[in-house]
Amino acid sequence: MWSCDPRRFTDYCDHDYCVAKGMEVYGHEYAMHFPFHRWPAGANKKLSPIHETLVASGAQFGAYNGWERANWFAKEGDDLSEESTQTWEREGPWFARIREECHAVRDHAGILDLPGFSRFAVRGENAVEWIESLITGSVPKVGRVGLGYFADDRGRIVTEMSLSRIEEEGVLCITAAAAQWHDREWLEKHLPEDGSITIKDDTTDYTCFILTGPMSRDILKGCADLDLNLPWLSVQRGRVDAHDVMFMRVSFAGELGWEIHCRNGVAGDVYDSLMEAGDRYGLKPFGMFALNSLRLEKGYRAWKGDLSTDYTILQGGLDRFVKWSKPDFIGKAALEKERQQGVSKRFVTLVVECDDFDAPYMSTLWHMGEVVGETTSGGYGHRVDKSIALGMLREDLTVPGTRLEVEIYGMRYPAEVQEDAPLWDPNNERLKA
């Protein structure tokens, strides 16, 4: 029901935007919705601090909660017409560029400008205990970052946030751009009435860069002040040249890397310093389409696709994020009952045998002429050279090697259930290097 949830809109939806989008939606009521096509009305509502720099680099944009983010970077001679995107086929002007961006991240390093992360600073003497009453797992220790999963009373997935600790009495909650009003409301409606916990929405004050790839540590050596020996899932304050930033050693791309969070006012200088230091190491800007490809190869879930209230925490394969020994948390009773009875369906990774297309959201999964599940996301993995789909499948068919069919645009294509491990770097050796 996300497409009907008013919280998917935020304050960028002013009168002019609503008129422009209303006219566009009505005028294309029966038009095809192609996977790489962007509806042009209502653009440029929220711009990154380095938007013009990205434009000069060939960025082709998409809107994420109104924020313009680069989807891919074009080169001279690429067809940038809207007509070129009106196709279901995987290959188009973007395909070779996405492949170059993914390979740069694999072989050298890439940098992604990621404005609009929803950021909530939760403070109070009992902030940690309060967050732990809402999530299925644990809040990380000071100096660490981890994922927190929020369930409803029926054990269904409400949202996912990264939780980081810089100080004893505070937790920084970072979540998807599109989740800003949705997740903020979820937190606020569970606040204790005594006012002991406060939530500050810092979404519009900060931005983020993802620096990732095997050369990312060498790049930081040339322009940053931080402890580069801290392990995966660490968080620390530091500097890029003269500017204060926060470093999180995480990477949605599945390579060695850091998220670099800074105030908007210094973002341009930080980006320029990183690019200058990375010039000798082959640092290349990459976009959201490449990030989607990279995360699919790692089996990382995306919110409101792979992660939603359509599925429970256990169906989503998130068992390792459940701390059963906790006295209580929202959804615990329902999840304990489900654990005893067994799940009816489970999250899987599929490799699809299709040369021309990738499975879109909610493609039907078939087995022996029977509908047995649906995809939750899909795309092409440029490091493994395979078409990948993530999805929900009837539990008895989740054995690795099971052969299925995926219905893509009216045709069925063979697919195979994979091991419960990333297709790329299954032991996370590159991630933890």
Side-chain angles (χ1 to χ4, degrees), residues 398-412:
T398 59
V399 178
T402 300
R403 300 287 292 178
L404 306 168
E405 290 180 307
V406 182
E407 185 173 325
I408 303 176
Y409 308 129
M411 297 288 290
R412 298 185 197 175

Side-chain angles (χ1 to χ4, degrees), residues 118-121 180-181 184 199-205:
S118 302
R119 306 169 61 93
F120 309 113
Q180 184 183 4
W181 281 12
R184 188 175 69 195
I199 299 172
K200 185 173 183 289
D201 187 340
D202 289 328
T203 300
T204 58
D205 296 328

Side-chain angles (χ1 to χ4, degrees), residues 114-123 161-162 164 166 171-177 179-181 183-184 187 199-209 235 245-248 259-264:
L114 207 60
F117 260 147
S118 302
R119 306 169 61 93
F120 309 113
V122 179
R123 295 187 177 90
M161 299 188 196
S162 67
S164 61
I166 292 288
V171 182
L172 176 60
C173 304
I174 297 181
T175 182
Q180 184 183 4
W181 281 12
D183 286 9
R184 188 175 69 195
L187 293 174
I199 299 172
K200 185 173 183 289
D201 187 340
D202 289 328
T203 300
T204 58
D205 296 328
Y206 290 84
T207 193
C208 174
F209 303 113
V235 58
V245 302
M246 182 173 65
F247 294 95
M248 293 185 186
E259 286 182 4
I260 303 171
H261 298 260
C262 64
R263 288 192 173 274
N264 287 331

Side-chain angles (χ1 to χ4, degrees), residues 31-311:
M32 298 299 181
H33 290 245
F34 298 103
F36 294 96
H37 175 249
R38 176 189 179 169
W39 297 105
N44 296 332
K45 297 302 293 185
K46 297 180 182 179
L47 301 182
S48 159
I50 64 164
H51 181 78
E52 293 305 320
T53 300
L54 299 180
V55 170
S57 299
Q60 306 303 302
F61 294 94
Y64 300 79
N65 189 25
W67 289 96
E68 295 289 318
R69 291 178 177 172
N71 279 332
W72 61 286
F73 287 84
K75 292 184 177 179
E76 187 175 353
D78 289 341
D79 184 356
L80 304 181
S81 66
E82 187 177 358
E83 289 74 20
S84 72
T85 68
Q86 294 174 337
T87 176
W88 287 282
E89 293 188 4
R90 176 190 304 136
E91 294 213 25
W94 54 83
F95 185 80
R97 305 297 168 240
I98 295 170
R99 187 172 184 83
E100 291 168 1
E101 293 169 23
C102 290
H103 287 181
V105 170
R106 179 194 67 185
D107 299 335
H108 306 288
I111 186 168
L112 172 67
D113 176 46
L114 207 60
F117 260 147
S118 302
R119 306 169 61 93
F120 309 113
V122 179
R123 295 187 177 90
E125 185 177 351
N126 298 313
V128 171
E129 291 79 5
W130 178 69
I131 291 288
E132 289 202 332
S133 73
L134 303 180
I135 63 173
T136 61
S138 299
V139 173
K141 297 178 180 179
V142 174
R144 303 288 288 168
V145 59
L147 291 175
Y149 288 92
F150 295 71
D152 64 12
D153 290 332
R154 294 166 61 182
R156 302 176 303 179
I157 302 166
V158 172
T159 192
E160 169 199 79
M161 299 188 196
S162 67
L163 310 174
S164 61
R165 300 273 306 285
I166 292 288
E167 54 198 17
E168 278 294 337
E169 296 185 357
V171 182
L172 176 60
C173 304
I174 297 181
T175 182
Q180 184 183 4
W181 281 12
H182 176 280
D183 286 9
R184 188 175 69 195
E185 183 184 67
W186 185 261
L187 293 174
E188 289 177 344
K189 79 176 184 179
H190 290 97
L191 279 172
E193 295 181 358
D194 61 8
S196 59
I197 304 294
T198 63
I199 299 172
K200 185 173 183 289
D201 187 340
D202 289 328
T203 300
T204 58
D205 296 328
Y206 290 84
T207 193
C208 174
F209 303 113
I210 292 180
L211 177 67
T212 186
M215 297 290 105
S216 55
R217 180 180 281 115
D218 297 282
I219 293 169
L220 290 176
K221 285 179 182 177
C223 65
D225 179 15
L226 74 158
D227 186 346
L228 289 165
N229 295 315
L230 290 184
W232 182 49
L233 299 180
S234 61
V235 58
Q236 60 182 304
R237 289 192 175 98
R239 299 172 78 83
V240 171
D241 286 341
H243 301 297
D244 294 328
V245 302
M246 182 173 65
F247 294 95
M248 293 185 186
R249 198 181 150 185
V250 294
S251 173
F252 203 49
E255 299 282 352
L256 171 68
W258 283 261
E259 286 182 4
I260 303 171
H261 298 260
C262 64
R263 288 192 173 274
N264 287 331
V266 303
D269 290 344
V270 170
Y271 184 79
D272 290 344
S273 294
L274 292 167
M275 288 298 293
E276 183 178 351
D279 184 61
R280 60 182 291 198
Y281 296 104
L283 179 62
K284 181 181 180 70
F286 68 103
M288 297 297 292
F289 288 166
L291 183 65
N292 188 58
S293 169
L294 296 163
R295 68 97 186 170
L296 285 169
E297 293 172 310
K298 295 295 291 182
Y300 293 160
R301 281 72 155 165
W303 189 69
K304 283 305 176 194
D306 312 303
L307 302 170
S308 77
T309 48
D310 290 327
Y311 311 115

